[in-house]
């Protein structure tokens, strides 16, 4: 009798059911589950690739360098802002580690000073060793007051408004207050600049955002005023310049612009500062 060979049926795998995006099920479909695990590992790798420790921002000991947290950046003290290890941020020589005047009071002092024309209306707000430090211009208290009081900006541009905002104490220099300005106005009067006078043109001034700072001593008097530093040269009609140079440029007055031929000539003979200081002191 011929032997009868019975065929054993081979189990047929159930067709793969696509996983629902809303409710993925790795146990139902291993290939999909493996793909998701792989995707998760790739995302983790990408996050690690941009972390401080993997981007070269690590200390010599191999530990991630500590960055200044937002809360620390608003603390207003050098101690809280100073990162541990690495290179210490530069500060103005003589900057104290702490300051007796509280942040809110210091900001109010800065606003009061700014409203007074930074000493133009009340020079008792300035210390005896006060310095005016703008791009290519450096003046002591006496020369500064003589220069700015001679411009008569109120008559030349009656609606002049610096629009100061974003007042804050420097986290690395507890005696320095920063703010940002965007100067606007209309040239409707005569503007004096050195020995030159510019009659009313009716032109408007729309300045770029500028960084301004005021440094105070422990008596609450300003000992240094900085400004004229344009934060975005694409903004406004002041031809990439700030402070009075920006205003002059907006009304059409000839001003040696940084990068121009006249400015390079002055720079070549090393008398840019002397030239500008002479104008402000005349």
């Amino acid at each position: 009798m011929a032997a009868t060979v019975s065929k054993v049926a081979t189990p047929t795998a159930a067709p793969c059911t696509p996983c629902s995006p809303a409710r993925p099920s790795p146990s139902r479909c291993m290939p999909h589950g493996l793909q998701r695990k792989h995707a998760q590992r790739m995302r983790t790798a990408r996050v690690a690739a941009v972390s401080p420790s993997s981007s070269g921002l690590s200390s010599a000991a191999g530990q991630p360098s500590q960055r200044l947290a937002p809360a620390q950046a608003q603390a207003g003290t050098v101690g809280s802002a100073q990162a541990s290890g690495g290179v210490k941020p530069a500060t103005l020589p003589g900057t104290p580690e702490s300051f007796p005047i509280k942040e809110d009071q210091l900001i109010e002092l800065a606003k009061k000073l700014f409203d007074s024309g930074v000493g133009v209306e009340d020079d008792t707000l300035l210390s005896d060793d006060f310095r005016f430090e703008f791009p290519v211009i450096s003046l002591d208290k006496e020369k500064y007051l003589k220069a700015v009081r001679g411009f008569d900006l109120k008559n030349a541009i009656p609606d002049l408004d610096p629009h100061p905002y974003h007042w804050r104490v420097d986290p690395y220099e507890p005696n320095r207050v920063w703010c940002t300005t965007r100067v606007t106005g209309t040239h409707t009067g005569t503007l004096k600049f050195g020995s030159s006078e510019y009659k009313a043109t009716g032109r408007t001034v729309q300045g770029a955002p500028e960084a301004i700072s005021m440094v105070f001593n422990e008596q609450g008097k300003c000992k240094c005023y900085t400004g004229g530093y344009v934060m975005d040269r694409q903004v406004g009609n002041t031809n990439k310049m700030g402070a009075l140079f920006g205003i002059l440029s907006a009304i059409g007055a000839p001003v040696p612009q940084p990068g121009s031929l006249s400015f390079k000539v002055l720079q070549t003979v090393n008398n840019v500062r002397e030239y500008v200081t002479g104008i402000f002191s005349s």
Side-chain angles (χ1 to χ4, degrees):
M1 175 182 297
T4 303
V5 179
S6 61
K7 295 183 178 180
V8 179
T10 301
T12 303
C16 176
T17 304
C19 298
S20 167
R23 296 178 60 84
S25 176
S27 61
R28 180 186 297 174
C29 179
M30 280 303 295
H32 286 281
L34 290 174
Q35 290 175 12
R36 284 191 299 277
K37 289 181 179 179
H38 176 69
Q40 177 62 37
R41 285 196 296 270
M42 292 299 291
R43 285 194 294 270
T44 302
R46 285 195 294 269
V47 171
V50 297
S51 65
S53 59
S54 63
S55 61
L57 301 177
S58 56
S59 64
Q63 298 296 326
S65 61
Q66 296 184 8
R67 294 184 176 183
L68 184 62
Q72 288 178 314
Q74 299 175 4
T77 61
V78 175
S80 63
Q82 182 177 328
S84 61
V87 179
K88 181 180 178 180
T91 57
L92 189 68
T95 296
E97 291 292 323
S98 60
F99 201 59
I101 304 176
K102 296 181 178 179
E103 286 190 29
D104 54 347
Q105 296 175 333
L106 197 62
I107 290 175
E108 288 304 314
L109 283 176
K111 289 182 177 179
K112 178 182 178 181
L113 176 66
F114 198 78
D115 290 341
S116 75
V118 191
V120 175
E121 298 175 6
D122 184 3
D123 56 23
T124 63
L125 299 175
L126 308 179
S127 65
D128 292 337
D129 59 347
F130 170 84
R131 297 295 307 179
F132 174 81
E133 299 290 343
F134 274 47
V136 305
I137 304 175
S138 179
L139 302 173
D140 60 22
K141 181 178 180 179
E142 182 181 356
K143 291 181 178 179
Y144 160 74
L145 292 174
K146 179 182 178 181
V148 295
R149 284 172 174 168
F151 296 148
D152 201 9
L153 285 175
K154 283 190 174 181
N155 287 330
I157 309 175
D159 61 344
L160 186 69
D161 190 342
H163 301 282
Y165 64 99
H166 194 196
W167 296 88
R168 70 274 186 196
V169 173
D170 192 308
Y172 294 101
E173 298 178 291
N175 61 332
R176 185 194 292 265
V177 176
W178 289 93
C179 74
T180 305
T181 62
R182 293 178 186 250
V183 177
T184 62
T186 310
H187 183 212
T188 58
T190 300
L191 176 59
K192 297 179 181 179
F193 183 63
S195 58
S196 301
E197 291 188 357
Y198 301 99
K199 302 296 183 180
T201 61
R203 295 186 180 184
T204 59
V205 177
Q206 292 179 301
E210 299 178 36
I212 304 290
S213 82
M214 287 153 275
V215 182
F216 293 85
N217 61 21
E218 293 187 354
Q219 289 71 46
K221 295 191 175 185
C222 181
K223 65 177 185 177
C224 185
Y225 174 43
T226 73
Y229 299 97
V230 172
M231 302 169 73
D232 189 345
R233 297 182 299 171
Q234 304 173 95
V235 180
N237 65 350
T238 54
N239 203 18
K240 304 177 183 180
M241 291 183 281
L244 184 60
F245 282 172
I247 294 175
L248 288 168
S249 181
I251 67 174
V255 180
Q257 181 185 356
S260 66
L261 179 60
S262 58
F263 190 90
K264 288 180 179 178
V265 170
L266 289 169
Q267 194 172 37
T268 301
V269 297
N270 196 31
N271 67 347
V272 173
R273 183 180 293 271
E274 288 79 2
Y275 166 78
V276 175
T277 302
I279 293 176
F280 274 77
S281 301
S282 61

